[in-house]
Amino acid sequence: MGVTDLRVLSKVPYNAEPSLAELVKKPITPVHLVYKRNHSDIIDLKSTVDSYTVKIDGNFEGLNERTITYSDILHHFPRREVVAVLVCAGNRRATMAATTGREVKGIKWGDGAACNVRWAGARLRDILLSAGIADGGPYEGYHVCFASRIAPCEDDEYYGGSIPLADAMSEDGDALLSYEMNGELLEPGHGYPLRVVVPGTYGMRWVKWVDQITISKEESPNFYQQRDYKVLPDTVTTKAMAESEGWWNKVPSMQLLACNSAVADGRRLFSACPEETRIKVTGYAYSYCPIFRVELSVDNGTTWEDAKITYQEGQRSWALWQAELELILDDEAEMNGVIVVEEGNNGRVKRKMTVLSRAVDSSGNEQELDCKWNLRGVGYSGAGERTIEV
């Protein structure tokens, strides 16, 4: 599967996602299968990389405003690697629309706006220490604001976002200014020469082509921090309503990943015994912390069976899982709606069933079975599901 096989959701700006079944075949996502999310044109800075700089400024005691070059970041700071899942806040938006029966505002991502990558770069903590931010704080109430003024965006003059300063300065933190994906330099579509990587948070905070880092008492003033990527109440049904009733100021900005899973593929297994029906299903799960368990149901959530986690690496990667499930295809299953019987145009009878998934993370957070609708369709974490012909 090549880059041209991504399902294009919009051409300008370019947004596309891979097949979900292809996506989960590899623990580390090949770069050509990493989804593309943009609010602006894709900028190629390879010819000007020698003059590329990142400005560090803001209002914090001890901070020395400075400018760091791309070469500085490559050669003067220790290289750090982290395997981390990158997830668009709109991942599974189309599923939210289908499940709730309500239209959502935004690109209709399927379940493929997620990937798992080996990132490398300089730790954000090390860079901020070099600019005079004292180790040990206090950091409460301060934010690290990222900006890319390389290109104008759909809704603002530049792209920006922020995270709490305490998260950036944590000794256990793994936020990076990244210059590599899977051992290769970033591609222009993924933020070459530098992008922010903030494991455990949604991808809109992972600012591409970052050229300014500001320490502030306020979150980023950018549109994409203040007036987007927020889970509005389900009673807010239009953007005009959100504006007139001041909801953008009432609702917090999204940061940490919610516990989530998706069923990527499912198929019936061959059996020499005609009375035995088994299926094999695979999928992914992620949260802001490691996944502890993934459960599956083939009876609309009445009973659940554990899947086997086949891959998970470190504290920030996704989990891949698989399971073989035995089915009972009897009259009772049909009567209760577990098995849906359809007759095709050729007179053949088809029996279909839905596999549900839910994940539990190591902090005890459990994936919701039903996730409330919100206007922007962000943060959907309802049960994973896939219908399979059995």
Side-chain angles (χ1 to χ4, degrees):
M1 184 175 186
V3 66
T4 56
D5 295 318
L6 293 178
R7 184 172 70 101
V8 178
L9 301 174
S10 72
K11 292 184 178 180
V12 182
Y14 183 68
N15 292 285
E17 68 178 334
S19 153
L20 187 55
E22 289 294 320
L23 181 62
V24 301
K25 287 182 177 179
K26 303 273 187 187
I28 299 294
T29 309
V31 173
H32 73 271
L33 288 181
V34 173
Y35 73 94
K36 303 290 177 60
R37 178 62 174 121
N38 294 286
H39 288 284
S40 70
D41 292 337
I42 294 174
I43 310 300
D44 190 342
L45 300 174
K46 289 182 179 178
S47 63
T48 59
V49 70
D50 289 342
S51 60
Y52 187 92
T53 61
V54 179
K55 181 180 179 181
I56 302 175
D57 61 10
N59 181 21
F60 190 85
E61 184 177 355
L63 175 65
N64 299 311
E65 183 175 315
R66 62 175 302 192
T67 298
I68 301 179
T69 68
Y70 176 61
S71 179
D72 288 337
I73 293 171
L74 259 64
H75 302 298
H76 295 162
F77 291 92
R79 180 180 180 277
R80 178 65 67 92
E81 279 192 0
V82 59
V83 176
V85 60
L86 168 63
V87 182
C88 177
N91 189 40
R92 309 189 67 211
R93 180 182 278 138
T95 305
M96 174 184 281
T99 301
T100 62
R102 301 177 66 180
E103 185 62 25
V104 292
K105 302 296 183 183
I107 292 172
K108 300 304 186 292
W109 296 102
D111 295 356
C115 60
N116 193 57
V117 170
R118 192 176 303 278
W119 307 92
R123 281 212 307 175
L124 181 58
R125 168 183 160 84
D126 292 341
I127 291 170
L128 294 179
L129 286 171
S130 76
I133 302 294
D135 196 4
Y139 308 128
E140 185 176 353
Y142 283 89
H143 304 268
V144 185
C145 303
F146 309 109
S148 173
R149 302 183 186 277
I150 301 300
C153 292
E154 298 165 290
D155 300 290
D156 210 326
E157 295 179 353
Y158 70 99
Y159 188 87
S162 59
I163 63 172
L165 177 59
D167 292 350
M169 293 299 295
S170 170
E171 291 188 29
D172 299 326
D174 37 27
L176 304 176
L177 286 195
S178 176
Y179 42 77
E180 287 182 10
M181 295 175 67
N182 297 343
E184 302 289 339
L185 291 178
L186 295 173
E187 295 181 352
H190 295 299
Y192 177 87
L194 291 172
R195 77 173 299 164
V196 177
V197 167
V198 191
T201 67
Y202 285 101
M204 67 282 191
R205 307 299 171 227
W206 298 34
V207 176
K208 294 186 288 188
W209 312 300
V210 60
D211 56 11
Q212 186 172 6
I213 299 173
T214 301
I215 310 303
S216 173
K217 287 286 286 184
E218 306 294 335
E219 287 188 345
S220 169
N222 191 262
F223 175 91
Y224 299 101
Q225 183 85 25
Q226 297 295 333
R227 309 182 82 77
D228 198 0
Y229 296 120
K230 296 186 178 185
V231 180
L232 302 174
D234 60 356
T235 54
V236 180
T237 56
T238 65
K239 287 188 175 181
M241 184 177 178
E243 294 283 352
S244 64
E245 297 183 5
W247 280 105
W248 296 118
N249 296 325
K250 298 177 184 178
V251 176
S253 300
M254 296 173 68
Q255 293 284 0
L256 295 179
L257 293 174
C259 189
N260 210 341
S261 71
V263 184
D265 197 17
R267 61 196 64 192
R268 183 172 178 174
L269 297 173
F270 172 79
S271 175
C273 177
E275 296 181 357
E276 181 181 80
T277 301
R278 296 184 66 81
I279 59 172
K280 180 178 181 179
V281 288
T282 59
Y284 68 63
Y286 58 76
S287 186
Y288 70 90
C289 59
I291 294 297
F292 176 68
R293 184 172 72 249
V294 177
E295 300 174 324
L296 304 175
S297 176
V298 292
D299 56 9
N300 298 326
T302 301
T303 61
W304 295 86
E305 182 175 335
D306 284 350
K308 178 182 178 181
I309 294 177
T310 58
Y311 165 82
Q312 192 165 210
E313 185 172 351
Q315 298 294 305
R316 303 297 191 178
S317 82
W318 68 9
L320 297 184
W321 55 263
Q322 67 178 34
E324 292 187 11
L325 305 172
E326 186 171 349
L327 309 180
I328 300 175
L329 308 182
D330 57 14
D331 293 340
E332 184 178 350
E334 292 184 11
M335 183 176 63
N336 293 332
V338 173
I339 303 296
V340 178
V341 180
E342 297 179 356
E343 185 172 336
N345 294 332
N346 58 3
R348 290 185 61 192
V349 173
K350 295 181 179 180
R351 289 177 169 81
K352 297 181 178 180
M353 62 170 301
T354 298
V355 179
L356 301 179
S357 69
R358 68 180 179 190
V360 180
D361 69 26
S362 58
S363 292
N365 302 297
E366 185 173 294
Q367 181 178 357
E368 305 170 82
L369 295 183
D370 298 306
C371 183
K372 283 188 176 182
W373 176 92
N374 65 79
L375 179 65
R376 288 285 286 116
V378 290
Y380 182 73
S381 57
E385 60 179 86
R386 181 162 294 270
T387 300
I388 301 170
E389 186 174 329
V390 294

